[in-house]
Amino acid sequence: MPIAINGSGTITGVSVGGLPDGIVDTDMIAAAAVTAPKRGAGAILQVVSAVKTDTASTASGTPANISGLTPTITTLKANSTILVMMDVKLSAANYGDHVGLNLYRSISGGAAGEIYRGDADGSRGRFTYGAEDLFGNNGDHQVTQVSSSLVDSPAQAAGTAITYSIQWNHLSGTAIYINRDGDNSNDARSPRMASSLILMEVSA
């Protein structure tokens, strides 16, 4: 087919690969023209985060979501991986409090359950993070920062909503807290803190 320059300002007859190398450079590509499905492997397609700045506590031995740390990411591309990064500030009411944290994933129309935790071994608990006598002596004045990350591969279709959460489980003792110390005095020695759960979709 011959190349034709039409009166409408369009060019027809150019075959795929028919332009010389380098003729289309970055400046010629419109801003945001390369959509997420066209980006190559390893590209960050989107970032979703949940930040918790208030405090909460639990004395329950039943796993439960930490309120405010349950972000949902809706995938832009099939079979993307999800980089999950958590940052949690924990304290306890006193010495001897035991805690377990788990990352929990729920896929719209699919499976739900804990991910990124240790293997089963006898009667031992399975957690993303767990500690016995976490805070040592004088425990109510201490705060532990729990940071963890993983690359999750949920093998989903594009447009799938995936919700991640951090579940905490008070294994024994009095109570555990997030974003505050156990003493909770009304002064600068008992600061308020922030925790977060960040999700990044990485192109397959």
Side-chain angles (χ1 to χ4, degrees):
M1 180 178 180
I3 295 175
I5 301 176
N6 304 304
S8 61
T10 61
I11 300 175
T12 57
V14 180
S15 61
V16 175
L19 295 175
D21 291 343
I23 195 170
V24 178
D25 59 15
T26 301
D27 292 338
M28 294 181 66
I29 301 174
V34 181
T35 59
K38 297 293 185 181
R39 294 174 194 158
I44 301 298
L45 304 182
Q46 61 173 318
V47 179
V48 175
S49 66
V51 177
K52 182 177 179 65
T53 57
D54 61 340
T55 64
S57 66
T58 184
S60 173
T62 301
N65 290 344
I66 299 177
S67 62
L69 292 178
T70 56
T72 297
I73 190 166
T74 301
T75 55
L76 299 174
K77 194 173 181 180
N79 298 317
S80 296
T81 56
I82 309 297
L83 175 59
V84 183
M85 297 179 289
M86 75 177 206
D87 175 48
V88 182
K89 315 303 191 306
L90 291 176
S91 69
N94 54 41
Y95 171 74
D97 283 283
H98 305 167
V99 62
L101 296 181
N102 266 325
L103 280 171
Y104 190 90
R105 180 188 67 202
S106 177
I107 300 176
S108 176
E114 297 87 356
I115 59 173
Y116 194 50
R117 60 179 184 160
D119 292 341
D121 187 0
S123 299
R124 297 169 180 84
R126 300 178 63 196
F127 301 107
T128 299
Y129 173 86
E132 182 178 7
D133 297 335
L134 172 62
F135 303 100
N137 293 320
N138 199 26
D140 64 346
H141 292 281
Q142 298 181 36
V143 175
T144 292
Q145 180 177 10
V146 180
S147 296
S148 191
S149 59
L150 79 150
V151 177
D152 186 31
S153 301
Q156 82 300 319
T160 301
I162 308 174
T163 300
Y164 292 84
S165 58
I166 302 172
Q167 294 192 337
W168 57 355
N169 189 357
H170 187 235
L171 303 176
S172 66
T174 304
I176 53 176
Y177 309 99
I178 186 171
N179 292 343
R180 50 159 279 198
D181 69 356
D183 180 61
N184 202 33
S185 299
N186 188 21
D187 56 46
R189 295 174 299 172
S190 295
R192 292 295 187 255
M193 290 150 282
S195 299
S196 64
L197 184 57
I198 300 173
L199 313 174
M200 294 186 182
E201 182 180 358
V202 183
S203 178

